Amino acid sequence: MDASLPHFALALPEISLAVGSLVLIVLGAVLGDRATSLINGLALALIALATALVIGAPVTTEPTFGGGFTADAFARFMKVLAYVSAFAALALSFDYMKRENFARYEYAILVVLSTLGMSLMVSASDLISLYLGLELQSLALYVIAAIHRDDIRSTEAGLKYFVLGALSSGMLLYGASLIYGTTGAVAFADIAETLKDGETSLGLVFGIVFLLAGFAFKISAVPFHMWTPDVYEGAPTPITAFFASATKVAGVAMFVRAVSEALPGVVTEWRQVVVFVAIASMALGSFAAIGQKNLKRLMAYSSIGHMGYVLVGLAAGTPEGVRGVAIYAAIYVAMTLGAFACILSMRVGDRYVESIDDLAGLSRTKPAMAFVLAMILFSLAGIPPLAGFFAKFYVFYAAVNAGLTTLAVIGFVLSVVGAFYYLRIVKIIYFDEPTVEFAPMTPAAKAVLTIAGGFTILYFVYPAPLTMAATAAAQSLF
């Protein structure tokens, strides 16, 4: 396939999201807030259409659109995860926004635009297209975080995310410019060809470090995690669910593709950075969450820790490691969406609560919800035979096979430490006396919790489809 010619069939998901978002903008401009419900429904349909198109689209390892866009098996796998996450987060948000009196038609459009940016990030095969996709996603996310203008916490979250996000984008762009200055190329394949002999200059090393720092911010890995707890707590809960699932998938995919396709000849240089970031993220995620009393802040630190485990698989620098990353991403999305479906169901009258102590005695007031939430928490802790155990197993196995046994042992020990705060919540659910009784779950929350919980609990019964898809995705990068 000629890399210089555009092949529109490969980009049909992105084209549908771009054209559809423009149509939604026109509808909103003409009809105003009266079109909110219509635009919300159309946005869901648009993301569902993009998911169907990406599943049915042809797959090729050859870049197209001037070498800046790749539609390989890895891109398809990660796009499906991102689209499913966006669909679920958007569906969870409608009832919440009505009750909180900030339903606006712009929200669904921004989610679609952000999803388009993620899609471009996942398929980016040069530094320019990667940065453009990243900025399209980020600009929409800055507004989404602060969309509840009457809530000072939401406004603060949006401002913090914007300031620190702009800083990280500058670091990433500076790193990309240094890599271009030392290699004379922006396409990942050309950069890899230049670096295949393994020789590195000081400028290249600095470029790699700055580039990886930008990536680390986007997935909220230590030491670029400082925005995560405040933004997770301050943003409206459905938006936090979107941040914790879809954006993480896109960030991980961007990270994996860049180092696997552009920097395979200098594994030693970037592996040192990834190993440090992985250990620091796992450690902070394990210890900092112990003292948290707010569920959304706890999920923020949990997210930081899980990104550390994802980077353990990436540090291996092998197809086996990338397979582990892909499996981990899929299981992490299911667990996260299930957890946030429960958090969104913590409603007393017209008031949403977020404290861990509010879950006291949940097993007596809502036994089904308590059971599924407990299983998701056990899975997040990595307890067999739940899905979270297999997620950690695959990344640790890849690390050991790549000679990173010490890293795998550290990760295992820290996962034991991290299990404490998950088990503490289970104790509160099953052994404490009830303090409040939550209102009935919305149909969207019930559907998301059922699907996510079922996947988490029953994954061990038939793991082959996900494993095979992740294996094919990983092999397409090598």
Side-chain angles (χ1 to χ4, degrees):
M1 189 172 285
D2 188 349
S4 64
L5 296 175
H7 296 273
F8 294 101
L10 300 177
L12 275 179
E14 289 76 17
I15 293 170
S16 66
L17 288 174
V19 174
S21 63
L22 294 176
V23 172
L24 295 183
I25 290 172
V26 172
L27 276 175
V30 173
L31 300 177
D33 286 335
R34 292 175 298 162
T36 299
S37 297
L38 173 63
I39 289 176
N40 288 344
L42 291 175
L44 282 177
L46 200 55
I47 296 174
L49 173 64
T51 306
L53 288 174
V54 79
I55 292 173
V59 172
T60 176
T61 57
E62 292 296 324
T64 185
F65 292 97
F69 185 90
T70 301
D72 55 11
F74 179 79
R76 179 166 63 182
F77 185 94
M78 301 306 270
K79 283 179 190 177
V80 169
L81 290 185
Y83 294 163
V84 169
S85 303
F87 184 93
L90 192 57
L92 287 171
S93 64
F94 299 150
D95 183 75
Y96 180 95
M97 296 178 75
K98 286 180 182 177
R99 293 182 183 278
E100 292 293 297
N101 296 317
F102 71 100
R104 296 187 179 91
Y105 74 85
E106 296 97 331
Y107 170 68
I109 298 173
L110 287 168
V111 170
V112 172
L113 288 172
S114 178
T115 306
L116 172 60
M118 295 176 203
S119 192
L120 294 173
M121 284 165 56
V122 171
S123 283
S125 54
D126 66 29
L127 295 172
I128 296 174
S129 57
L130 183 149
Y131 185 74
L132 290 175
L134 178 64
E135 285 305 291
L136 177 58
Q137 173 207 274
S138 299
L139 290 172
L141 291 180
Y142 299 149
V143 182
I144 289 174
I147 198 165
H148 195 180
R149 292 173 293 187
D150 298 329
D151 185 353
I152 191 170
R153 293 194 311 165
S154 177
T155 306
E156 179 186 353
L159 185 60
K160 285 181 178 178
Y161 188 46
F162 171 70
V163 172
L164 296 172
L167 175 64
S168 74
S169 293
M171 295 172 65
L172 189 149
L173 192 58
Y174 184 57
S177 66
L178 286 174
I179 292 174
Y180 170 70
T182 53
T183 63
V186 293
F188 293 163
D190 295 339
I191 294 172
E193 181 67 23
T194 305
L195 302 177
K196 65 180 180 180
D197 56 3
E199 293 184 8
T200 57
S201 63
L202 185 61
L204 178 66
V205 172
F206 271 103
I208 292 173
V209 170
F210 276 107
L211 189 73
L212 298 190
F215 291 162
F217 177 91
K218 297 305 177 184
I219 64 171
S220 64
V222 177
F224 307 99
H225 66 285
M226 67 290 290
W227 61 275
T228 313
D230 291 337
V231 172
Y232 273 42
E233 182 182 10
T237 305
I239 295 170
T240 304
F242 184 59
F243 274 60
S245 54
T247 62
K248 289 291 190 298
V249 168
V252 167
M254 171 181 66
F255 207 139
V256 171
R257 185 181 293 280
V259 299
S260 299
E261 291 191 346
L263 306 173
V266 288
V267 173
T268 304
E269 283 73 10
W270 61 258
R271 178 182 281 165
Q272 297 175 46
V273 179
V274 171
V275 167
F276 166 76
V277 171
I279 294 174
S281 299
M282 291 187 294
L284 185 97
S286 296
F287 289 102
I290 291 175
Q292 300 302 318
K293 296 183 178 180
N294 182 285
L295 262 174
K296 287 163 71 176
R297 288 187 75 88
L298 183 141
M299 289 301 295
Y301 285 109
S302 170
S303 167
I304 293 168
H306 282 287
M307 290 302 103
Y309 296 115
V310 167
L311 293 178
V312 170
L314 179 59
T318 61
E320 197 174 50
V322 174
R323 181 191 67 172
V325 169
I327 293 173
Y328 203 114
I331 293 173
Y332 169 79
V333 162
M335 297 186 297
T336 299
L337 289 174
F340 274 99
C342 290
I343 296 172
L344 277 163
S345 300
M346 294 172 61
R347 180 168 54 86
V348 182
D350 290 330
R351 180 174 60 93
Y352 288 91
V353 293
E354 301 170 358
S355 171
I356 294 172
D357 292 333
D358 290 319
L359 289 170
L362 183 66
S363 61
R364 302 178 202 178
T365 57
K366 289 192 175 297
M369 176 180 166
F371 172 76
V372 178
L373 178 57
M375 292 300 102
I376 288 173
L377 292 169
F378 281 134
S379 182
L380 286 166
I383 295 174
L386 300 170
F389 166 77
F390 294 96
K392 289 185 171 67
F393 170 79
Y394 281 115
V395 294
F396 290 160
Y397 182 75
V400 170
N401 285 346
L404 301 174
T405 306
T406 303
L407 176 62
V409 170
I410 293 172
F412 175 77
V413 172
L414 290 173
S415 69
V416 174
V417 175
F420 168 78
Y421 57 82
Y422 296 120
L423 299 181
R424 173 174 165 263
I425 301 175
V426 176
K427 173 260 178 189
I428 290 173
I429 291 172
Y430 277 93
F431 297 103
D432 286 11
E433 291 296 322
T435 56
V436 296
E437 184 170 352
F438 299 138
M441 297 180 71
T442 64
K446 193 176 293 185
V448 171
L449 183 60
T450 301
I451 295 171
F455 175 84
T456 301
I457 297 168
L458 300 175
Y459 170 76
F460 74 96
V461 175
Y462 191 49
L466 179 61
T467 306
M468 292 171 60
T471 302
Q475 289 174 346
S476 70
L477 290 182
F478 292 85

